[in-house]
Amino acid sequence: MKIQIRKFYYGDIPEENAGGNELKIASSIPPLEAGEASWPLWEIFIRSKQGLDHKHVGSLHAADAAMAIENARDVYTRRQEGVSIWVVESKYITASNPEEAGELYEPAADKIYRHPTFYSLPDAVNHM
Amino acid sequence: MAIQDFEKIFQEKINEEIKIEPKDWMPEAYRKTNVRQISQHAHSEIVGMLPEGNWISRAPSLKRKAILIAKVQDEAGHGLYLYSAAETLGTSRDEMINDLHSGKAKYSSIFNYPSLTWADMGAIGWLVDGAAILNQVMLCRTSYGPYARAMVRICKEESFHQRQGFESLLVLSQGTDEQKAMCQDAINRWWWPSLMMFGPKDSESTNSDQSMKWKIKRKTNDELRQQFVDMIAEQIKVLGMQLPDDKLKWNDERKHYDFGAINWDEFWNVVKGNGPCNKQRLEARRKAHEEGKWVREAAMAYADKKASLNPSKRGTLEAA
């Protein structure tokens, strides 16, 4: 048997290498039915302990908010990583566009007087 | 700007170790490589539950059973972290699941080997998770932000998997003659497939190393494999067992262990679908998906009905 070897990284076997048997098995089984509505995607925010902000940890699929919270509990807090969970459907998040980052943040760049280090004070004034 | 300029800026960011985030411009091939690699990684976690799930009902004690359930639940969680990282690249969960079920997408070949005895649970934890961890620690620094973050989360949880596996084998290695034999047998069967997990030898590459250039991957297959051999060759002394390789020997010049040749025919055979359990694994995944269909539909119908009865219930942040 002649085998052509290309380099594939662990966890990165390309599609053309899928080989024979599985594709043969697969052709006999119908794909997911078209029209099967998939559960919406939710973004998950977790407060790791009282006094800290909720922080984005990832996302998951759930049919509704209550299920999203239950799933987030199972997926993101299996080792007591949280004391409070926020979930928000991903479609409601509006994000800034990285291509506009230049003009969006540029106005802050030349205002160095907003930083305490801009002001040099005599040493006598300690810890201001 | 021309596309070459975008690519140049992109590569400069990579060179400066600036992470790429979902909405940033990226070359199409970078997106595709990441989707393929992350989804294959996710599928590996999900299919990886099967060989171990096989032993949950037959664990030798309540303690071992609880540990095994926790580990398998972790694998499910890891699969979910990874699926959601892949989704940030514009692919859908359904597409990925479909590709797994059709055989188009791959998962780690190691899970196409059967788990024949209880000792396999220890060997999988120690060797298979041990090999996976080396890869995953490297991937914590991968260039795509969501993938790297998922990996950090996974690595935090993964070390328990390897430790419980080693400890389980340690108990067997100090047990009866039958238990010792079972321990050695499991190591014999899992050793070579674990080495194959790192993929083909670097020297057999005809591909340019785009993944390294893009810092998706940061170490070569052979580097990781050597690291693994060096680690396991030392740890097995504690077990008082043998690795099934008479060429395994410390090389004082290289400061590494030398080891025997890997059977690459076997590797490609399993990748191509002719491993001992390829068919079984895929069928188990498909069956689970098909039999869960009514649950997915019922949950969606319930959510829709509830939303239509009580539309004002949306947005309950004040409760937080």
Side-chain angles (χ1 to χ4, degrees):
Chain A
M1 189 169 59
K2 191 167 179 282
I3 296 175
Q4 192 204 352
I5 294 191
R6 283 168 57 201
K7 182 181 195 174
F8 305 117
Y9 289 120
Y10 166 71
D12 187 26
I13 303 291
E15 283 154 14
E16 66 264 26
N17 231 282
N21 275 358
E22 285 152 0
L23 286 174
K24 254 183 265 155
I25 303 164
S27 58
S28 62
I29 314 169
L32 282 189
E33 264 172 64
E36 181 186 333
S38 47
W39 292 347
L41 189 66
W42 299 75
E43 299 301 321
I44 312 301
F45 300 82
I46 304 235
R47 186 203 297 285
S48 58
K49 64 178 211 189
Q50 295 295 110
L52 295 181
D53 292 326
H54 286 77
K55 192 177 157 208
H56 184 245
V57 293
S59 55
L60 50 76
H61 289 268
D64 59 23
M67 190 199 271
I69 287 185
E70 280 168 17
N71 288 358
R73 192 266 318 262
D74 291 342
V75 177
Y76 292 106
T77 68
R78 285 196 302 284
R79 289 177 176 76
Q80 299 176 293
E81 291 95 335
V83 295
S84 165
I85 300 173
W86 285 353
V87 299
V88 57
E89 237 188 289
S90 309
K91 65 178 181 190
Y92 294 117
I93 290 192
T94 308
S96 62
N97 184 351
E99 276 156 42
E100 292 162 6
E103 50 273 40
L104 197 58
Y105 305 111
E106 188 276 335
D110 61 356
K111 297 179 180 59
I112 47 171
Y113 45 83
R114 282 190 164 142
H115 298 277
T117 45
F118 179 72
Y119 305 92
S120 53
L121 301 180
D123 288 347
V125 191
N126 259 339
H127 307 300
M128 184 186 278
Chain B
M1 254 194 299
I3 187 126
Q4 289 88 340
D5 296 329
F6 280 115
E7 275 175 12
K8 193 165 160 274
I9 295 169
F10 176 81
Q11 189 62 50
E12 280 166 6
K13 273 167 87 174
I14 301 262
N15 296 347
E16 284 171 42
E17 301 289 336
I18 297 172
K19 296 274 185 241
I20 306 304
E21 294 295 342
K23 292 185 81 184
D24 294 345
W25 187 91
M26 61 186 85
E28 202 41 42
Y30 177 85
R31 180 187 303 275
K32 271 185 74 177
T33 303
N34 264 302
V35 166
R36 192 174 63 217
Q37 184 169 328
I38 300 170
S39 66
Q40 281 177 14
H41 200 153
H43 298 328
S44 301
E45 298 282 356
I46 299 300
V47 177
M49 292 194 282
L50 297 171
E52 292 177 308
N54 187 30
W55 280 91
I56 289 177
S57 61
R58 291 176 282 164
S61 68
L62 186 58
K63 174 184 138 191
R64 293 289 170 193
K65 186 175 185 161
I67 292 171
L68 193 54
I69 291 174
K71 179 170 190 282
V72 171
Q73 196 192 3
D74 272 357
E75 316 289 5
H78 297 175
L80 291 174
Y81 304 155
L82 288 160
Y83 281 129
S84 58
E87 280 173 275
T88 63
L89 288 159
T91 182
S92 76
R93 180 77 56 99
D94 290 346
E95 266 175 84
M96 289 186 274
I97 301 287
N98 258 336
D99 285 351
L100 171 68
H101 292 173
S102 74
K104 189 179 166 206
K106 297 278 95 180
Y107 52 87
S108 183
S109 285
I110 192 92
F111 301 119
N112 290 319
Y113 290 86
S115 49
L116 302 177
T117 70
W118 168 252
D120 286 17
M121 296 304 97
I124 289 176
W126 178 42
L127 298 174
V128 177
D129 288 277
I133 288 170
L134 290 183
N135 188 57
Q136 287 166 343
V137 166
M138 167 195 74
L139 287 170
C140 288
R141 295 166 55 234
T142 192
S143 58
Y144 187 56
Y147 192 20
R149 292 192 286 274
M151 278 299 127
V152 169
R153 198 174 289 283
I154 287 173
C155 283
K156 270 188 206 157
E157 301 181 349
E158 195 84 39
S159 79
F160 129 66
H161 296 183
Q162 198 190 11
R163 289 172 69 100
Q164 67 82 33
F166 189 83
E167 193 235 21
S168 164
L169 290 184
L170 192 60
V171 171
L172 289 176
S173 75
Q174 295 160 351
T176 63
D177 286 348
E178 282 90 347
Q179 286 172 324
K180 285 179 191 164
M182 188 164 78
C183 178
Q184 181 62 59
D185 165 69
I187 293 168
N188 290 350
R189 280 182 292 107
W190 288 96
W191 171 246
W192 291 106
S194 301
L195 285 190
M196 294 176 197
M197 282 175 74
F198 297 98
K201 280 195 288 191
D202 298 341
S203 57
E204 280 162 349
S205 154
T206 57
N207 270 8
S208 69
D209 263 352
Q210 193 61 56
S211 281
M212 296 284 268
K213 197 174 151 222
W214 279 335
K215 298 190 182 174
I216 295 174
K217 176 105 184 177
R218 286 167 172 273
K219 285 182 184 176
T220 71
N221 294 356
D222 283 343
E223 282 175 287
L224 286 168
R225 186 166 18 239
Q226 184 68 59
Q227 210 183 332
F228 179 69
V229 171
D230 291 349
M231 175 175 85
I232 298 298
E234 287 300 319
Q235 290 171 352
I236 196 154
K237 294 178 186 167
V238 182
L239 289 179
M241 296 281 146
Q242 304 285 321
L243 289 174
D245 180 358
D246 51 16
K247 301 237 165 43
L248 187 84
K249 213 179 134 219
W250 176 252
N251 182 328
D252 207 39
E253 232 168 84
R254 290 200 311 128
K255 299 285 173 214
H256 287 296
Y257 277 91
D258 290 336
F259 54 98
I262 293 168
N263 181 350
W264 292 113
D265 286 355
E266 177 183 324
F267 173 77
W268 286 112
N269 237 327
V270 180
V271 168
K272 283 173 187 293
N274 303 314
C277 301
N278 295 54
K279 192 160 176 270
Q280 227 176 304
R281 299 289 185 240
L282 265 193
E283 277 171 3
R285 285 315 315 153
R286 298 190 64 108
K287 185 161 168 272
H289 193 76
E290 273 152 29
E291 291 180 357
K293 185 168 179 245
W294 72 271
V295 180
R296 296 193 297 278
E297 286 173 352
M300 208 58 235
Y302 175 72
D304 287 345
K305 191 173 171 191
K306 223 171 47 172
S308 67
L309 288 177
N310 196 359
S312 65
K313 200 73 180 106
R314 286 199 178 276
T316 49
L317 192 61
E318 71 273 15

